[in-house]
Amino acid sequence: IISGPFTANGPVINGIPVNPGGPPATTRVAPQGTKLLHDAVYTAASALAQRPGNRRRVILVISDGIAQSNQHHLRDNIEYLLDKNIQVFAAGLDDAFIWRDLNLLASYAQETGGSACYIHSQTALESCYAQSAEKARNPNLATNLQETATKVN
């Protein structure tokens, strides 16, 4: 890779380093067939927690909503996300579409003040991304997170 967001210098958005001077991302290679949803959310949250407090902290998860063989757990992650003021927006695929009311993605999204949508086509994915981006720009993040934290505690 010669240039782009994943060059040796680290990820960039609009030419600005996303994690300047931060620790390098850690990678855990899991056995094939495992679903590390909780570990992925925790890794993303840990990276976002390094951002200054005045910056938005949002995770977009695109997943089937299944978690297996994780080192981290849903409850601990949600507490961490709330503590660090991180919202989760989720796009559910495959099984997540069928089990959307009982899905882990819905738990992450609802409890952090984000939202979840479930994808059955490319058009639905595009719409979900646009809706998530618009909701992530909502200036009421602090209010949403305080209300959510009250519900969890």
Side-chain angles (χ1 to χ4, degrees), residues 18-130:
V18 176
N19 192 14
T26 57
T27 303
R28 176 176 162 228
V29 178
Q32 188 172 3
T34 57
K35 307 281 187 159
L36 302 177
L37 174 63
H38 301 313
D39 292 349
V41 169
Y42 181 82
T43 300
S46 295
L48 282 174
Q50 305 300 316
R51 294 183 74 173
N54 62 344
R55 300 290 309 267
R56 298 299 307 271
R57 296 176 180 167
V58 175
I59 297 172
L60 174 63
V61 177
I62 301 174
S63 171
D64 61 7
I66 299 172
Q68 301 168 337
S69 305
N70 288 265
Q71 293 179 348
H72 297 87
H73 303 284
L74 177 68
R75 275 288 118 215
D76 297 333
N77 277 359
I78 288 174
E79 288 178 19
Y80 186 72
L81 291 163
L82 291 172
D83 182 57
K84 302 298 180 185
N85 294 327
I86 299 172
Q87 277 183 302
V88 175
F89 291 86
L93 308 168
D94 301 330
D95 287 343
F97 180 76
I98 297 168
W99 299 104
R100 56 187 165 266
D101 292 334
L102 305 171
N103 194 283
L104 295 170
L105 298 176
S107 296
Y108 275 117
Q110 291 169 357
E111 296 196 39
T112 62
S115 64
C117 44
Y118 298 91
I119 309 307
H120 53 82
S121 68
Q122 180 176 341
T123 303
L125 177 59
E126 291 167 358
S127 175
C128 177
Y129 180 79

Side-chain angles (χ1 to χ4, degrees), residues 128-139:
C128 177
Y129 180 79
Q131 289 173 13
S132 296
E134 183 61 32
K135 290 176 184 176
R137 290 185 192 104
N138 182 352

